Amino acid sequence: MKKKEHLPLFGVGPIYVYTIALFTIIAFLCRNLPVFEAGKLTFVRIPILILGAILIALGIIIWIMAVIVSKVDDNIKKNHLVTTGIYAWVRNPIYSAFMIANTGIILIIGNAFFLVLPFVYWLFMTVLMKHTEEKWLRKLYGQEYEDYCKRVNRCIPWKRN
């Protein structure tokens, strides 16, 4: 690996973040349209609001841990594969943070019709990562990255044994 070779600082992140944000905004704007009236989850409103708020807070915490605490920008510039901190729990914590926070917003919207969106977000993230950044990381870090992938989930923070 050449010294100057490293991942792009932003990668495909803006594409992912802007896309899911756009879908979340559209859901928010459409939530009161008559066509979506039947999907309102009024009978479980309070638990859904609480869960939504927890997910938004969790997304913010994960983002802070990935960007500020782990100093991911510095590590990308130095060609270091970050595998500690939040990166020991999830391989793509910045994207996961946005996915989790947007899922919280979808829950707060409180309409069953939009509950498909978090699955779309997860699928989009999975496909996007497999075909872009994961290929780049395999090329840059080889077996070290392969071993990391075996230990750490792509999208959902979870500590494996």
Side-chain angles (χ1 to χ4, degrees), residues 4 13 17 21 29 48 52 58 64-65 95 97 104 127 138 145 151:
K4 293 193 178 189
V17 170
L29 295 174
I48 286 177
L58 180 61
I64 289 169
M65 291 175 69
Y95 308 139
V127 170
R138 278 187 178 84
Y145 184 70
R151 292 189 318 269

Side-chain angles (χ1 to χ4, degrees), residues 29-30 36 38 40 43 45 52 55 63 80 90 94 101 104 110-111 115 119-120 127 133 155-156 158 160:
L29 295 174
C30 294
F36 296 113
K40 288 188 177 179
F43 58 95
R45 188 74 185 135
L55 289 177
W63 185 88
H80 294 157
V90 63
I94 297 170
N111 193 304
L115 293 179
F119 298 101
V120 172
V127 170
E133 290 188 11
C155 305
I156 308 296
W158 191 264
R160 291 185 184 174

Side-chain angles (χ1 to χ4, degrees), residues 90-110:
V90 63
R91 293 194 313 253
N92 300 286
I94 297 170
Y95 308 139
S96 294
F98 282 98
M99 179 180 65
I100 291 166
N102 277 274
T103 298
I105 294 168
I106 294 296
L107 288 174
I108 287 172
I109 289 170

Side-chain angles (χ1 to χ4, degrees), residues 8 10 16 33 35 40-41 47 58-59 62 72 81 95 101 121 123 126 133 145 159:
F10 293 106
Y16 178 73
L33 292 177
V35 69
K40 288 188 177 179
L41 300 171
L58 180 61
I62 291 171
V72 73
L81 179 62
Y95 308 139
Y121 298 164
L123 181 63
T126 298
E133 290 188 11
Y145 184 70
K159 191 75 169 177

Side-chain angles (χ1 to χ4, degrees), residues 34-138:
V35 69
F36 296 113
E37 186 71 30
K40 288 188 177 179
L41 300 171
T42 54
F43 58 95
V44 287
R45 188 74 185 135
I46 300 300
I48 286 177
L49 283 172
I50 293 169
L51 183 56
I54 290 169
L55 289 177
I56 292 168
L58 180 61
I60 292 167
I61 291 167
I62 291 171
W63 185 88
I64 289 169
M65 291 175 69
V67 174
I68 297 169
V69 175
S70 294
K71 299 180 179 152
V72 73
D73 291 353
D74 293 340
N75 284 294
I76 289 172
K77 290 174 188 172
K78 294 176 186 174
N79 273 337
H80 294 157
L81 179 62
V82 183
T83 60
T84 59
I86 191 64
Y87 288 86
W89 288 76
V90 63
R91 293 194 313 253
N92 300 286
I94 297 170
Y95 308 139
S96 294
F98 282 98
M99 179 180 65
I100 291 166
N102 277 274
T103 298
I105 294 168
I106 294 296
L107 288 174
I108 287 172
I109 289 170
N111 193 304
F113 289 115
F114 302 122
L115 293 179
V116 70
L117 288 176
F119 298 101
V120 172
Y121 298 164
W122 170 81
L123 181 63
F124 179 43
M125 181 177 170
T126 298
V127 170
L128 191 63
M129 292 302 103
K130 283 179 92 167
H131 294 289
T132 58
E133 290 188 11
E134 288 184 8
K135 285 184 177 181
W136 304 337
L137 289 163
R138 278 187 178 84

